[in-house]
Amino acid sequence: MAEKRLTPVDMLAQRPDWETYFMDMARLASRRSSCHRRAVGAVLVKEKRVLTTGYNGNPPEFEHCATMGCIREMLNVPSGAHHELCTGLHAEQNAIIQAATTGVAIAGATLYTTTFPCVTCAKMIMAARIAEVVYDEGYPDELGRFMLARSSIVVRRFGDPIPEDLSRSTTHDLTGVVAQMASVPNPRR
């Protein structure tokens, strides 16, 4: 039996909106991740044009954790803590680095990412002058939330047109962030 052909109106109705289109690209990028703990993808967009993409994994020419082992698992480092104890780069970092290595200007861009940025990514996003972050899933990093809450960057959860008021979901001062972080075990002690 032959498939029913869609009318042009039906085709338009099935067409994804721009935000869904870009988040779907970030999800597709996450499929390239070489991290077996969390697959994350990111896409930098400006004026409805894709500038760069990124996914989390080790730097070029460096062995994958799948073959050499994961230092975070070996040290029992919880998610959202001690980002320096990882051989990989985050998706947001790779998207920003790709722009730098290829000469693509990203100031004023929107970052679509499958996971809320960590503190390291938040600092890079701020320094790169990215204007907006649209994320799909949360991430347990209070310092990242704290920094983005104190920046001019618009932060929205995917599907929500209203910017998130990060000041309501994070502490208002650094002392509060430190108190929350004190409960995170330090594997280097």
Side-chain angles (χ1 to χ4, degrees):
M1 181 181 236
E3 274 188 52
K4 181 183 174 193
R5 290 190 75 162
L6 294 175
T7 68
V9 173
D10 290 337
M11 288 175 66
L12 281 177
Q14 291 184 356
R15 190 173 176 205
D17 60 71
W18 286 107
E19 185 163 290
T20 301
Y21 177 66
F22 294 129
M23 188 58 76
D24 283 351
M25 286 186 171
R27 290 181 186 127
L28 180 62
S30 77
R31 292 175 53 198
R32 290 277 310 147
S33 170
S34 61
C35 177
H36 59 274
R37 290 184 74 172
R38 181 186 303 263
V40 180
V43 178
L44 278 166
V45 175
K46 192 170 186 178
E47 297 173 3
K48 298 181 182 173
R49 304 256 187 261
V50 173
L51 302 175
T52 63
T53 64
Y55 52 86
N56 57 330
N58 285 342
E61 301 180 22
F62 195 82
E63 190 174 359
H64 293 296
C65 299
T67 57
M68 69 177 189
C70 173
I71 190 170
R72 293 178 68 77
E73 284 186 353
M74 291 174 190
L75 295 172
N76 294 316
V77 178
S79 183
H82 300 290
H83 302 289
E84 75 281 7
L85 295 175
C86 181
T87 57
L89 293 161
H90 288 185
E92 303 93 327
Q93 295 167 353
N94 271 323
I96 292 168
I97 291 166
Q98 185 183 104
T101 59
T102 58
V104 175
I106 59 173
T110 297
L111 174 73
Y112 290 87
T113 179
T114 58
T115 303
F116 192 93
C118 73
V119 64
T120 305
C121 292
K123 291 186 282 187
M124 290 180 71
I125 289 163
M126 293 166 73
R129 306 287 193 261
I130 291 168
E132 182 177 24
V133 172
V134 179
Y135 72 96
D136 197 16
E137 299 174 8
Y139 188 69
D141 188 327
E142 274 305 305
L143 190 52
R145 292 184 76 75
F146 175 79
M147 291 194 68
L148 287 172
R150 295 167 92 63
S151 76
S152 62
I153 297 167
V154 174
V155 178
R156 290 187 301 111
R157 187 164 206 139
F158 173 65
D160 191 346
I162 300 170
E164 192 169 334
D165 183 0
L166 293 179
S167 65
R168 289 181 22 180
S169 62
T170 189
T171 184
H172 296 279
D173 62 33
L174 196 53
T175 307
V177 172
V178 170
Q180 290 176 2
M181 292 174 66
S183 65
V184 175
N186 186 344
R188 294 180 290 171
R189 285 188 204 143

